[in-house]
Amino acid sequence: MNRPAPRSTFLAACRDLLGRDHVLTDDADTGPYLVDQRKRYTGRTLAVLRPADAPQLAALVRLCVAHRVPMVPQGGNTGLAGGATPDASGRQVVISLRRLNRIREVDAANMTLTAEAGCVLADVQAAAQAADRLFPLSLAAEGSCTIGGNLATNAGGTAVLRYGNARELCLGLEVVTPQGDLWNGLRGLRKDNTGYDLRDLFIGAEGTLGLITAATLKLFAPPMARMTALAALDSPAQALALLNLAQRMAGPLLTGFELMSDFCLRLVAQVFPQHRYPLFAKPCAQPYAQTVLLELSDNESEAHARELLERLLAAGVEQGVVRDAIVANSLAQSNALWHLRESIPLAQSATGLNIKHDIAVPVSQVPAFIAATDPLVQQIAPGARMVTFGHLGDGNLHYNVMAPEGVDPARFLAQYQASVTAAVHDSVHAHRGTISAEHGLGQFKRDAAAQYKSPVELALMRALKAAFDPLGLMNPGKVLPD
Amino acid sequence: MNRPAPRSTFLAACRDLLGRDHVLTDDADTGPYLVDQRKRYTGRTLAVLRPADAPQLAALVRLCVAHRVPMVPQGGNTGLAGGATPDASGRQVVISLRRLNRIREVDAANMTLTAEAGCVLADVQAAAQAADRLFPLSLAAEGSCTIGGNLATNAGGTAVLRYGNARELCLGLEVVTPQGDLWNGLRGLRKDNTGYDLRDLFIGAEGTLGLITAATLKLFAPPMARMTALAALDSPAQALALLNLAQRMAGPLLTGFELMSDFCLRLVAQVFPQHRYPLFAKPCAQPYAQTVLLELSDNESEAHARELLERLLAAGVEQGVVRDAIVANSLAQSNALWHLRESIPLAQSATGLNIKHDIAVPVSQVPAFIAATDPLVQQIAPGARMVTFGHLGDGNLHYNVMAPEGVDPARFLAQYQASVTAAVHDSVHAHRGTISAEHGLGQFKRDAAAQYKSPVELALMRALKAAFDPLGLMNPGKVLPD
């Protein structure tokens, strides 16, 4: 299918179309585009191409199709599954979307914003804020990831409990198809039932069905106050009981519900001794096994949010679910509590490589999943330390496994990564969960995911890919096994 | 493609598979399945087939494929676009999903419920309620429509502002593919990024890509209180300003925001004189041009909801947006206010046929759309009476046109339906809206929708249809023009 085109003819045509400055071929220029965020993959490329806007990108895709050049789209290059890294052949081009970085429209009364794919997430948040609106998608890489990449991977983050994933925050898309046609589906409608849902097909497809060039996103009235609390508990089952109570008493005001095991917090305290865990200060015979961070977003007032949190936690204590609790008494203290949660992955990084799992199970299955899986990991890797934390409200755990005390992390990884991950994924599957909750498949989890999918589902996915991209030029080797 | 199979062989095989009682061929038995809810379409059929469960349905589809028999799926037969009515050829079978009516699982802690396609919506709501949970999809036909039909048409209703359409309420599906394979995608996960979004492709496809047999649905903690208010205003622009204020002050507690023009309420008062419009009782020189019904759903208390509504409406009065208002002081009064809103379509039916439009525009465009379109309708049909009401919070208007006083409704329809609808749809399109907000396309709006879609979008839709259903046997003639 891929008849090799004269490389020089193709590159000359690219330079004519994009301008010389936007066709990168020197190793020094292309280097940063060829390694993924976690440094798991290093690729080679024919060129890094940087179109200026959607029509130019459409023309570029037609050019690549004419020359049968495979295309790897890339936004902020912050993906965690190698979805934006080309293969080692040197025959693929990287198409950077970063120059498509205009906020095209903010329609405050419609609660929508239209941004181009290359806009950095933090810039989208800022544009919403400037119009006195909230764009709630929020994740660690928000200062450098792009909204196009967020949508291509259906990013999750910390606000999914209330606002949903990137998918649920998108009303319309503009997409360049694998044929190089520009589809304008930038609808700002809350209800529209006029045919097949193309939008959701492109979202989460990681560029394998077409290239997202712009999106119309949902905005919200910003809350008057965000208020955070910590609750200490004995077990994941108690955390689930508290979640139930919080959903009953706070309803949609509950915007965060994060679970952190005792070991996670001790790790933070060890690496960042300047952090204070407020509940440590209280006298207790032994540390609490689990801590939950709760966040309310309130459209009334800070006082209302705090009073509701206090009532909620008092009910938790009364019902024997919560052992101890603290409600932030200022925005600064709220932020400090969040900072504690956000320091867990940083503390992990500081202590060396570990075996990471981005998994989700039904919320009701979280306690059973942890109870069943911890012993499996210990059987394989005795003494391994479990760093279990995450978005309990979404059933999404970062179920990570650290080397035992005193064991070299790199050696531990080399020895156990494959077997531990296989056991964890099998257990996830047995608990009706997913092995990729919010990071996508890319090349990293492509084969593992296929292993757990039914032949029917794989056949439907292949039928879609063949229908949209019959030449197989769109981000080949990602999502679906070849 | 469709080589005619001996009718008797096919029907005998159907009887072997389903049992004699579930293959209906007598006119008396099949009659009710062959006319749509609005009596716009009457079809003929080879047989009405009533499988007992999903595996039997899969076998039935394989049988239909082997005999090249086109299939028309049907749930409660309450659709408003003729999507479940067979054509006049008598060669299509109707497949009724009504016997797939089991609630398979309620997982209260996961806030999910798994129901088969033929479950009546009200029964799904009741199953959720029995587990102390809320399934918020709610619409006029809920006593007879099925959840499978709701998903196949991505039904909307009155709670979309807060909870979304049927699409947003579904986490997973089970589907029989056009090849007769059974796909189990019944995931109860809040985050899952492992490949193409098949779920959303089947939702809203009206049975043209496969048959939904079961769904895992999102549940919510039921609110402690629902509280309703009416606000009288001067214009749709004021209603939009009030919506903005309500979203700011009540945030996600706002679950209903319905606009009703003065004429709508006068029509209700005329047809149902027993209904009292509370704001009529107050002395006013002239009637209010617009009335808004607001609903809050509150997880704290009735008192909290009422106090918030009162504060919100007081702010509206202070800002010069609201002219008068009343907050319900009991659940009974809340229901009475909703009843007023729900009586508008009934009052319309009682006064004869009218030209109906189920349209949506961006919320911010509603005032401009009404201002631009009312005169267009008057130019075409002078004296026509506008019955404009609907879900303003979603930009979704039931923009209906009644005959002038004293003119026979049937004659009016015959004379003006085509030209008025064309003008309304053109105006909707010019305001970046949709000509089918919540009723789908079926056969009724199939061609009109195609007219407003770009060639790129139509080509993508056709590619999908060809990839999934190459024989064209799944609900042919619906959604996409032949």
Side-chain angles (χ1 to χ4, degrees):
Chain A
M1 189 122 61
N2 296 297
R3 56 179 160 83
R7 179 193 145 109
S8 56
T9 316
F10 171 71
L11 289 177
C14 288
R15 288 193 192 97
D16 283 351
L17 179 65
L18 308 179
R20 182 162 297 274
D21 289 352
H22 300 297
V23 179
L24 314 181
T25 51
D26 286 356
D27 288 352
D29 297 332
T30 61
Y33 296 88
L34 303 181
V35 187
D36 75 305
Q37 166 91 3
R38 286 206 173 143
K39 301 191 170 38
R40 278 199 195 95
Y41 302 98
T42 303
R44 292 174 57 230
T45 191
L46 189 56
V48 174
L49 307 171
R50 312 195 321 136
D53 55 28
Q56 206 179 64
L57 175 58
L60 180 61
V61 169
R62 293 194 295 272
L63 191 60
C64 290
V65 169
H67 288 81
R68 299 293 190 271
V69 174
M71 296 162 260
V72 178
Q74 189 176 102
N77 198 17
T78 60
L80 300 176
T85 312
D87 68 13
S89 70
R91 291 180 46 253
Q92 304 182 333
V93 290
V94 173
I95 298 184
S96 170
L97 279 292
R98 292 297 305 276
R99 291 177 70 210
L100 281 73
N101 62 357
R102 283 160 287 262
I103 304 284
R104 290 198 195 156
E105 187 191 18
V106 181
D107 183 346
N110 193 42
M111 297 276 188
T112 52
L113 175 158
T114 299
E116 292 185 345
C119 289
V120 170
L121 175 53
D123 294 338
V124 175
Q125 295 166 344
Q129 198 173 4
D132 198 18
R133 294 290 181 267
L134 170 74
F135 181 62
L137 188 68
S138 176
L139 40 94
E142 63 196 25
S144 50
C145 64
T146 61
I147 190 69
N150 297 148
L151 289 164
T153 59
N154 187 23
T158 52
V160 173
L161 181 61
R162 160 74 181 94
Y163 298 102
N165 300 282
R167 179 183 304 289
E168 284 84 31
L169 295 171
C170 179
L171 290 174
L173 287 182
E174 182 187 76
V175 171
V176 174
T177 71
Q179 289 70 45
D181 292 319
L182 190 59
W183 172 55
N184 183 343
L186 289 172
R187 290 157 196 155
L189 302 170
R190 258 65 186 185
K191 288 181 172 173
D192 178 25
N193 275 325
T194 55
Y196 301 149
D197 182 11
L198 300 174
R199 174 192 68 197
D200 285 306
L201 201 50
F202 292 113
I203 295 174
E206 304 186 29
T208 62
L209 299 177
L211 306 183
I212 295 171
T213 54
T216 298
L217 304 165
K218 278 190 205 170
L219 305 179
F220 296 82
M224 286 292 289
R226 286 188 189 181
M227 192 53 58
T228 301
L230 288 187
L233 311 134
D234 286 331
S235 67
Q238 300 283 49
L240 192 59
L242 181 61
L243 175 63
N244 193 332
L245 190 66
Q247 287 175 317
R248 170 159 310 281
M249 291 182 68
L253 304 193
L254 184 69
T255 47
F257 198 94
E258 301 283 315
L259 183 70
M260 306 175 277
S261 74
D262 167 50
F263 182 74
C264 294
L265 293 176
R266 280 191 282 132
L267 195 66
V268 171
Q270 183 190 319
V271 177
F272 305 109
Q274 69 278 24
H275 274 322
R276 285 212 34 229
Y277 174 62
L279 297 177
F280 280 166
K282 306 214 171 181
C284 62
Q286 54 185 35
Y288 305 115
Q290 302 289 339
T291 300
V292 163
L293 182 151
L294 300 95
E295 183 192 69
L296 300 191
S297 295
D298 194 309
N299 286 69
E300 290 186 57
S301 66
E302 201 174 294
H304 178 259
R306 190 181 301 114
E307 188 266 337
L308 181 53
L309 266 179
E310 282 166 358
R311 220 161 0 107
L312 163 58
L313 291 166
V317 169
E318 195 168 313
Q319 294 181 18
V321 168
V322 173
R323 286 187 57 199
D324 201 351
I326 181 169
V327 177
N329 55 29
S330 67
L331 186 61
Q333 203 178 12
S334 259
N335 290 340
L337 298 186
W338 263 118
H339 196 53
L340 199 65
R341 158 65 180 85
E342 285 159 359
S343 298
I344 300 173
L346 302 175
Q348 268 198 293
S349 300
T351 49
L353 294 172
N354 53 79
I355 309 174
K356 289 187 197 296
H357 303 104
D358 167 44
I359 57 104
V361 293
V363 177
S364 54
Q365 296 292 308
V366 169
F369 169 78
I370 294 175
T373 315
D374 282 0
L376 294 176
V377 173
Q378 290 304 319
Q379 272 171 30
I380 296 167
R385 292 172 294 175
M386 309 306 303
V387 187
T388 304
F389 64 102
H391 319 296
L392 181 66
D394 315 317
N396 177 199
L397 295 179
H398 297 298
Y399 187 81
N400 299 342
V401 182
M402 259 177 86
E405 188 85 52
V407 172
D408 174 57
R411 234 194 83 212
F412 176 76
L413 232 71
Q415 189 169 358
Y416 293 114
Q417 174 140 34
S419 51
V420 164
T421 292
V424 170
H425 285 181
D426 282 350
S427 183
V428 166
H429 188 64
H431 289 86
R432 302 196 286 170
T434 175
I435 66 161
S436 186
E438 54 178 10
H439 297 166
L441 298 180
Q443 29 189 326
F444 181 50
K445 289 191 181 169
R446 181 195 68 176
D447 295 337
Q451 185 188 326
Y452 295 108
K453 289 204 180 281
S454 63
V456 182
E457 183 159 346
L458 284 172
L460 290 171
M461 285 175 60
R462 286 187 200 286
L464 278 173
K465 174 72 175 172
F468 274 57
D469 179 26
L471 298 175
L473 296 176
M474 306 311 289
N475 212 2
K478 315 293 164 55
V479 182
L480 270 171
D482 290 327
Chain B
M1 188 120 64
N2 296 297
R3 57 177 158 84
R7 177 193 148 111
S8 57
T9 316
F10 171 70
L11 289 177
C14 289
R15 287 192 192 97
D16 283 350
L17 180 65
L18 307 179
R20 184 162 295 274
D21 289 353
H22 300 297
V23 179
L24 313 181
T25 52
D26 285 356
D27 288 353
D29 297 331
T30 60
Y33 297 87
L34 303 182
V35 187
D36 75 304
Q37 166 92 3
R38 285 205 172 143
K39 301 192 171 35
R40 277 199 194 98
Y41 302 98
T42 303
R44 290 173 58 227
T45 191
L46 189 55
V48 174
L49 306 172
R50 312 195 321 137
D53 54 29
Q56 206 179 64
L57 175 59
L60 180 62
V61 169
R62 293 195 295 273
L63 191 61
C64 291
V65 170
H67 289 81
R68 299 293 190 272
V69 174
M71 295 161 262
V72 179
Q74 190 176 101
N77 198 18
T78 59
L80 300 175
T85 312
D87 69 11
S89 70
R91 290 181 44 255
Q92 303 182 333
V93 290
V94 173
I95 298 184
S96 169
L97 279 291
R98 292 299 304 276
R99 291 177 70 211
L100 281 73
N101 62 357
R102 282 161 288 262
I103 304 285
R104 289 199 197 156
E105 186 188 20
V106 181
D107 184 345
N110 193 42
M111 297 275 188
T112 51
L113 175 159
T114 300
E116 292 185 345
C119 289
V120 169
L121 174 53
D123 294 339
V124 175
Q125 296 166 343
Q129 199 174 3
D132 199 20
R133 294 289 180 268
L134 170 74
F135 181 63
L137 188 68
S138 177
L139 42 93
E142 63 195 24
S144 49
C145 65
T146 62
I147 190 68
N150 297 147
L151 289 164
T153 59
N154 187 22
T158 52
V160 173
L161 179 61
R162 161 73 181 96
Y163 299 102
N165 299 282
R167 179 184 305 289
E168 284 84 31
L169 295 171
C170 179
L171 290 174
L173 287 183
E174 182 187 76
V175 170
V176 173
T177 70
Q179 289 69 44
D181 292 318
L182 189 59
W183 171 54
N184 183 343
L186 289 173
R187 291 158 196 153
L189 302 171
R190 258 66 187 185
K191 289 181 173 175
D192 178 25
N193 275 326
T194 55
Y196 301 149
D197 182 11
L198 300 174
R199 174 191 67 198
D200 285 308
L201 201 50
F202 292 113
I203 295 174
E206 305 187 29
T208 63
L209 299 177
L211 307 182
I212 295 171
T213 54
T216 297
L217 305 166
K218 276 190 209 171
L219 305 180
F220 296 81
M224 285 292 287
R226 287 189 189 180
M227 192 54 58
T228 302
L230 288 186
L233 311 134
D234 286 331
S235 67
Q238 299 283 49
L240 191 59
L242 180 60
L243 175 64
N244 193 333
L245 190 65
Q247 287 175 318
R248 169 159 311 280
M249 291 182 68
L253 304 193
L254 184 69
T255 47
F257 199 95
E258 302 283 315
L259 183 69
M260 307 176 276
S261 74
D262 167 50
F263 181 73
C264 294
L265 294 176
R266 280 192 283 131
L267 196 65
V268 170
Q270 181 189 320
V271 176
F272 306 109
Q274 70 276 25
H275 275 321
R276 285 209 39 227
Y277 174 61
L279 297 177
F280 280 167
K282 308 214 169 182
C284 63
Q286 54 186 37
Y288 305 115
Q290 301 288 340
T291 301
V292 163
L293 182 152
L294 300 94
E295 183 193 69
L296 299 191
S297 296
D298 193 310
N299 286 68
E300 291 187 56
S301 66
E302 201 175 294
H304 178 258
R306 189 180 303 114
E307 187 267 337
L308 181 53
L309 266 178
E310 282 166 358
R311 221 163 357 109
L312 163 59
L313 291 165
V317 170
E318 194 167 311
Q319 294 180 20
V321 168
V322 172
R323 287 188 53 200
D324 200 353
I326 181 170
V327 177
N329 55 30
S330 67
L331 186 62
Q333 203 178 13
S334 258
N335 290 340
L337 298 185
W338 263 116
H339 196 55
L340 199 66
R341 158 68 180 82
E342 285 159 1
S343 298
I344 300 172
L346 303 175
Q348 268 198 295
S349 300
T351 49
L353 294 171
N354 53 80
I355 308 175
K356 290 187 195 301
H357 303 104
D358 167 43
I359 57 105
V361 294
V363 177
S364 53
Q365 295 293 307
V366 168
F369 168 78
I370 295 175
T373 315
D374 282 2
L376 294 176
V377 173
Q378 291 304 319
Q379 273 171 29
I380 295 168
R385 292 172 294 175
M386 310 305 303
V387 187
T388 304
F389 65 102
H391 319 296
L392 181 66
D394 314 316
N396 176 201
L397 296 180
H398 297 298
Y399 187 81
N400 298 342
V401 182
M402 260 177 86
E405 188 85 51
V407 172
D408 175 55
R411 233 194 83 212
F412 176 76
L413 232 71
Q415 189 171 357
Y416 292 115
Q417 174 141 35
S419 52
V420 164
T421 293
V424 170
H425 286 179
D426 282 350
S427 183
V428 165
H429 188 65
H431 289 85
R432 302 196 284 171
T434 174
I435 65 160
S436 186
E438 52 177 12
H439 298 166
L441 299 179
Q443 27 189 327
F444 181 51
K445 289 190 179 170
R446 182 194 68 177
D447 295 338
Q451 185 187 326
Y452 296 108
K453 289 204 180 280
S454 63
V456 183
E457 182 160 347
L458 284 172
L460 290 171
M461 285 177 59
R462 286 187 201 285
L464 277 174
K465 174 71 174 172
F468 274 58
D469 180 26
L471 298 175
L473 296 177
M474 306 311 289
N475 212 4
K478 313 295 163 54
V479 181
L480 270 171
D482 291 324

